Each structure stands twice: as structure tokens, then as C-alpha cells.
């Protein structure tokens, strides 16, 4: 494994080289000023005395000098890197709230300012690019809603079996567009640092179940709500979390056979999820599906393949995670308790 370059090791090696060079120079000075030659050191007593003199007047002072210099040098080196360590900790601390973050350069050493300045410039460019992308997505979604609404009205006037299927496709597209607009709003709220609202997961789950129950019953399937233990409130965007739960319910309905039951559960803790009667979804497959445009049995055959990717994005915006329990055929939304 390739060993990384270290500024600290370089400085320590530099101090060692300085000590070695200083010792050699002092020895050379002793030889020069005392006019010592090999002829003067032929006798054993003279050689022994020269060695003792060198140790006393050269080696000992160097050791006495280098020990405190090394200790102080290491301390100075550590102190010099403290601002960089503080910056690294502050970067890690903003995980999930990266938008608008900049490295504080007020305590940075002058030598590090070009690097931190370049990083801050890069962060600013990334923020601007993200804002442009969000604005574009919101504009496209907004422009698409009107023609889809008109198309749905036109299909209402057509008495044909295919018209009913087309109306379902149009409705699915409208839901997808609404979710994309919701994601844009979440990102905009995060960048503007708008305070999230307090949400009761049990009440939210009841609202979603009551909304989707009629359509599920029409398909000859059932839906149930199960509340387990104490469920604390969380902070976030109610519309976004409801959309995430609806996506999971819709996925569960697709893989549940006629006469089966989709179960929405809440708790214990800040947990909410959906249990279906399908084959289950393993963790590796879920990780693959949250990448956009990937499909599985849990994804719509006619949709854009974005359902689980949208759920994962919503959970990331709320500092939560989307997980799978394939043995129990569950997809779970795990939130931080707020």
C-alpha cells in the first residue's frame, strides 16, 4: 500500500537533518579551531581526551538543544494543523445541510488560505448549479401539469376501454410531477434554512391510509394500519413524508396478489413502513433501485422508475434512511427523533 505524504513527517525529518548537520559543523569547528590532526591523536590518551572533549562540547550541547527544540517543534506543528482539523470537523458536522456551507477562514494560517478559498469557490459553484437544476425541474414540472390536466379532461369524454388505462397513466404522470415539484420545494426550503414543522407519524399514516384505501379496495385488496408502542414526533415536511409513504404503499399494492393485505405500520420509535405480500426486497437490490431509472418488481412497469429514488431523496432531506427487511417483506422509513 502506497504511503501518503505527511507534512508532519517532513518537518520532523527536517529537524533531524538540521540536528545532524549542526553536529557535523560543530565537530568541524572543533577540529579547525583546535588544529587537531591524526598526528596529534596517535597516543591513546590523546584520542580518548579528544573524544571526551567532543562529547562534552559538541554532542552534549546538541542533545540538550535538540530535545526541547524537537518537543516545541512538534507542538508548533500540531498547533499549525488545528485550524485544518477544526475545518474538517465543521464539514462533517453539516452532513445533510451542505447547502450554503462555507469553510471559516478567519482562523486559517495564511499558507492554507489559497486552498480553503478554492474549496469555498467550488462549494459556491456547486450551490449555484444545484439551484439552477432545481429551478429547471420546478419549471418543467409546472409547465407539464397544465397539458396533463387538459389531456385528462379530454380522456373523460372518451367512452373506450383504452381511455381508462390512459387516464391511469396520466394520473401516474401527474403524481410523479407533483413529487418532483415537492423535491424541488424541499431543496429550496433547505437552502433557505426554513424551519421544519412538528409532525405526528401516527396521524400522518392514518391520513395516507384513508386517502389510498378506496383505490386499493377497488382492486380487490385490503390495507391495514398497525401502531406499535410509543411513537415520538419528528420535524420535517409533512407533504414530503406523506408522498414517501404513498410511494411505498403503491409499490406494495403492485406486488400483493388479489385478496391480500398491505399493512402500514408505525413505531416503535420514529419508524414508519409498509409490509406487503410480495417476494421481498433485499438490501443490495434496494441500494441499486434507489439509483434513478432502475426497476424491479416493486417499481411501476409503466412509470419512470423513480419511486424509490424519490423516497430515498426525501428521507435524505430529513436525515433519515430507507431500509429493507426482506424476511418480513418490509420497506422501512427510519427517522431521527425530533
Amino acid at each position: 500500500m502506497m504511503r501518503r505524504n505527511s507534512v508532519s513527517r517532513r518537518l520532523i525529518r527536517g529537524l533531524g537533518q538540521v540536528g545532524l548537520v549542526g553536529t557535523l559543523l560543530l565537530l568541524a569547528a572543533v577540529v579547525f579551531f583546535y588544529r587537531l590532526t591524526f598526528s596529534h591523536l596517535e597516543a591513546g590518551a590523546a584520542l580518548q581526551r579528544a573524544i571526551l572533549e567532543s562529547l562534552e562540547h559538541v554532542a552534549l550541547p546538541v542533545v540538550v538543544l535538540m530535545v526541547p527544540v524537537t518537543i516545541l517543534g512538534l507542538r508548533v506543528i500540531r498547533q499549525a494543523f488545528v485550524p485544518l482539523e477544526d475545518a474538517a470537523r465543521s464539514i462533517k458536522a453539516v452532513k445533510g445541510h451542505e447547502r450554503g456551507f462555507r469553510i471559516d477562514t478567519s482562523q486559517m494560517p495564511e499558507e492554507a488560505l489559497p486552498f480553503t478559498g478554492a474549496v469555498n469557490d467550488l462549494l459556491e459553484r456547486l450551490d449555484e448549479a444545484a439551484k439552477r437544476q432545481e429551478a429547471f425541474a420546478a419549471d418543467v414540472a409546472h409547465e407539464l401539469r397544465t397539458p396533463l390536466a387538459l389531456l385528462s379532461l379530454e380522456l373523460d369524454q372518451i367512452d373506450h376501454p383504452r381511455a381508462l388505462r390512459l387516464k391511469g397513466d396520466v394520473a401516474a404522470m401527474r403524481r410523479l410531477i407533483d413529487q418532483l415539484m415537492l423535491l424541488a420545494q424541499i431543496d429550496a426550503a433547505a437552502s433557505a434554512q426554513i424551519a421544519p414543522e412538528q409532525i405526528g407519524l401516527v396521524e400522518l399514516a392514518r391520513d395516507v391510509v384513508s386517502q389510498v384505501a378506496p383505490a386499493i379496495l377497488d382492486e380487490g385488496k385490503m390495507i391495514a394500519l398497525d401502531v406499535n408502542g410509543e411513537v415520538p414526533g419528528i420535524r420535517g415536511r409533512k407533504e414530503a413524508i406523506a408522498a414517501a409513504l404513498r410511494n411505498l404503499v403503491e409499490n406494495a399494492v403492485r406486488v400483493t396478489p388479489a385478496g391480500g393485505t398491505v399493512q402500514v405500520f408505525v413505531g416503535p420509535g420514529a419508524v414508519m413502513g409498509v409490509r406487503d405480500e410480495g417476494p421481498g426486497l433485499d438490501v443490495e437490490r434496494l441500494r441499486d433501485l434507489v439509483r434513478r431509472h432502475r426497476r424491479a418488481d416493486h417499481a411501476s412497469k409503466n412509470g419512470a422508475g423513480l419511486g424509490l429514488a424519490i423516497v430515498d431523496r426525501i428521507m435524505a432531506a430529513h436525515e433519515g434512511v430507507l431500509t429493507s427487511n426482506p424476511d418480513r417483506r418490509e420497506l422501512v422509513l427510519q427517522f431521527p427523533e425530533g
Side-chain angles (χ1 to χ4, degrees):
M1 182 177 178
M2 182 177 179
R3 191 176 184 183
R4 293 184 179 275
N5 292 325
S6 170
V7 176
S8 298
R9 286 197 294 269
R10 288 185 178 182
L11 292 175
I12 292 171
R13 284 198 299 268
L15 287 174
Q17 292 170 359
V18 168
L20 178 61
V21 171
T23 301
L24 294 176
L25 289 177
L26 283 174
L27 287 173
V30 169
V31 171
F32 176 78
F33 285 112
Y34 284 91
R35 302 292 194 271
L36 292 176
T37 63
F38 286 105
S39 60
H40 294 113
L41 301 177
E42 289 178 354
L47 178 61
Q48 184 179 6
R49 183 173 180 180
I51 292 174
L52 290 175
E53 288 288 336
S54 299
L55 291 174
E56 182 179 351
H57 294 93
V58 178
L60 184 59
V62 168
V63 171
V64 172
L65 179 64
M66 288 303 297
V67 169
V69 167
T70 301
I71 295 174
L72 292 175
L74 293 175
R75 180 179 176 84
V76 170
I77 291 171
R78 284 196 295 268
Q79 290 178 340
F81 288 105
V82 166
L84 294 176
E85 294 173 354
D86 291 341
R89 283 192 291 269
S90 64
I91 292 172
K92 290 181 180 179
V94 298
K95 184 177 181 180
H97 301 278
E98 292 86 355
R99 296 291 295 274
F101 173 78
R102 300 293 183 273
I103 298 175
D104 183 11
T105 60
S106 60
Q107 302 298 322
M108 283 289 172
E110 184 176 352
E111 292 78 7
L113 289 178
F115 174 75
T116 54
V119 171
N120 283 338
D121 289 341
L122 175 61
L123 291 173
E124 184 174 0
R125 293 196 298 272
L126 290 174
D127 278 353
E128 292 298 324
K131 289 178 182 178
R132 289 193 298 269
Q133 183 180 11
E134 291 160 9
F136 174 76
D139 290 342
V140 170
H142 180 73
E143 293 298 327
L144 285 174
R145 294 182 73 180
T146 300
L148 286 176
L150 295 175
L151 179 58
S152 182
L153 292 174
E154 291 292 332
L155 290 173
D156 286 337
Q157 301 177 14
I158 301 176
D159 185 14
H160 193 279
R162 291 185 178 179
L164 184 61
R165 180 177 60 82
L166 291 174
K167 284 177 62 178
D169 292 341
V170 171
M173 291 178 65
R174 291 182 65 179
R175 286 196 301 271
L176 177 61
I177 290 171
D178 289 340
Q179 291 172 356
L180 292 175
M181 289 189 67
L182 185 59
L183 285 178
Q185 292 169 3
I186 291 172
D187 291 333
S191 61
Q193 298 184 348
I194 298 175
E197 60 182 312
Q198 189 72 20
I199 301 171
L201 293 180
V202 176
E203 292 77 9
L204 184 146
R206 286 198 182 110
D207 291 341
V208 171
V209 169
S210 64
Q211 292 169 6
V212 300
I216 294 175
L217 294 175
D218 288 343
E219 295 185 25
K221 303 173 186 179
M222 294 178 288
I223 185 169
L225 175 62
D226 185 17
V227 179
N228 305 299
E230 184 177 352
V231 182
I234 65 169
R235 300 189 66 82
R237 291 290 299 274
K238 184 175 181 179
E239 303 90 344
I241 297 173
L245 182 59
R246 278 195 298 269
N247 269 346
L248 295 189
V249 171
E250 291 173 359
N251 288 336
V253 171
R254 293 187 191 105
V255 298
T256 298
T261 300
V262 174
Q263 189 172 35
V264 177
F265 60 89
V266 185
V271 174
M272 183 167 54
V274 177
R275 186 179 302 115
D276 58 50
E277 296 186 8
L281 191 63
D282 63 71
V283 177
E284 291 297 327
R285 186 61 176 150
L286 174 63
R287 188 177 295 114
D288 187 52
L289 287 173
V290 296
R291 303 171 190 169
R292 294 184 178 182
H293 307 302
R294 299 297 183 93
R295 295 182 183 276
D297 292 336
H298 282 69
S300 170
K301 303 301 182 186
N302 300 317
L306 291 174
L308 292 178
I310 289 175
V311 174
D312 184 69
R313 179 65 187 87
I314 291 173
M315 293 304 295
H318 290 82
E319 299 183 3
V321 291
L322 167 64
T323 61
S324 175
N325 187 343
D327 295 335
R328 295 174 58 87
R329 294 170 297 186
E330 295 174 348
L331 287 175
V332 183
L333 307 177
Q334 175 72 56
F335 297 92
E337 296 187 4

